[in-house]
Amino acid sequence: MDVEIVGRMLSTLPTDDDHPYRTGPWRPQTTEFVADDLEVVQGELPTDLDGVYLRNTENPVHPSLKNYHPFDGDGMVHVVGFREGKAFYRNRFVRTDGFLAEQEAGQALWAGLAEPPYLSLREDGWGARGRMKDASSTDVVVHRGTALTSFYQCGDLYRLEPTTAETLGKATWNGRFPFDWGVSAHPKVDDRTGELLFFNYAKDAPYMHYGVVDASDELVHYIDVPLPGPRLPHDMAFTENYVVLGDFPLFWEPEALAHGAHVARFHRDLPSRFAVVPRRGQTRDIRWFEADPTYVLHFVNAYEDGDTIVLDGFYQGDPSPRDNGMGNQWERAFRFLALDRMQSRLHRWRLDLRTGLVREEQLSDSITEFGMMNGTYAGGDYRYAYAATGKPAWFLFDGLVKHDLRTGSEERYAFGDDVFGSETAMAPRVGSTGEDDGYLITLTTDMRADASFCLVLDASRVSDGPVCTLRLPERISSGTHSTWAPGAELRRWRETDRAADAIGL
């Protein structure tokens, strides 16, 4: 492995830090690497794996102003690229405005999720709460050959070169980016149309918008999605003709919000609501469907079955776990991040467009979340979902499950004791002929070996374990969201950009 250190960021975190989401598997990094010809420590790297796996994560470099929340860390993107039986690695901080300002100041400047906004030393910044740093640390997708990182509380979309993770600036959509509202995490890319579908939300009416960016990177559609009040949506889904947005009864307590406090509460007496919107429809075209009260952090997919929209995601049996006095102070404080405490299970809603009724069914008894799929099937009928299992009481992934949605069967792979993974992306094999004809890719942090690895598994034989294990140059911080971008698609966009430059576009 040929390794080069290309940067070290200023960090003021204490050496005696005891916060569990800034230590152990969540210990942040300050070093940026270029590593070529990654060492294969097990198996053989497939020659029909071509593209890049990208993973975003929260990686703090300064102590919080008061109370650190795991979602407050700065964005860092990891890239593992594959071509012709070789692999490379890059990692870079996302150079957000907030990150650069805090590097210059040498300290945190904005209040985090678990802190009152008045603590902020700067009043600018994105976020539905206001005066909150846009860390662009939540999600990553690839649109038109460019990686876009996003923030769960809405903010800018930062543009990154997908093979180097170098920050290229912000998305502007020729000046039509919704700068006053930003964009939420989890915009969706439809590979069939080349469109980017997105939503945003805030504390001001109408409380939500929905928009479409076309394959030419133009904002071509943007409408109000009126809600009863401020909400906390996190994800969306799409079909061939519709998008589905959520209004769930876990949101800020209105009375507390009126006094400047942000206290989330699960309102058990209110239903879950799904907005079904034609992809180029107007506000008047929105149809609302009511379902059992829950909170959905992530959807897997949606598709049309005649006059019914089939929507799959993770139903939380207990969206607001109570403090039962069990565990240490950290387990109790962050109990709402643990999959077992939230009782998160794969679930299906069937939205009948003729009757307006919803039928629901639990698809699995297993506690899983962060579901991924073969992206070429997104928006259409599909069979497989690849989800994470969690360490009890902690926000750590300790294995993965392949859900077969037709048979109900499951295949499992456990990472092992004290090994924790990332969201698992599905990479179709070059010349793929089936939905699970490809590979699953994830990054792991092995606490006993004090090292990190990239695992490549056969998507059709998950329980067999990795077909290849690659060593990374440093133990990385645990993380969440990821994506896969095929190499042929990235090269096509690179040639398109060269041609545009040649004629002065």
Side-chain angles (χ1 to χ4, degrees), residues 235-281:
D235 201 1
M236 64 181 293
F238 70 91
T239 72
E240 181 181 357
N241 296 296
Y242 301 95
V243 295
V244 183
L245 305 168
D247 171 14
F248 299 106
L250 176 68
F251 53 85
W252 289 315
E253 183 62 51
E255 292 79 6
L257 198 60
H259 292 88
H262 298 79
V263 180
R265 183 170 74 84
F266 183 50
H267 301 257
R268 299 177 184 274
D269 56 331
L270 297 178
S272 299
R273 299 200 309 151
F274 297 105
V276 174
V277 191
R279 285 175 53 155
R280 297 295 179 94

Side-chain angles (χ1 to χ4, degrees), residues 131-177:
R131 291 184 295 174
M132 185 177 183
K133 180 177 67 176
D134 171 10
S136 205
S137 57
T138 307
D139 193 21
V140 58
V141 298
V142 175
H143 182 231
R144 303 181 71 255
T146 299
L148 301 171
T149 59
S150 54
F151 189 51
Y152 71 102
Q153 288 275 350
C154 298
D156 289 307
L157 292 181
Y158 280 85
R159 303 171 62 250
L160 277 66
E161 207 291 321
T163 60
T164 67
E166 297 287 349
T167 304
L168 304 175
K170 303 176 187 178
T172 66
W173 301 335
N174 291 318
R176 297 195 64 198
F177 188 88

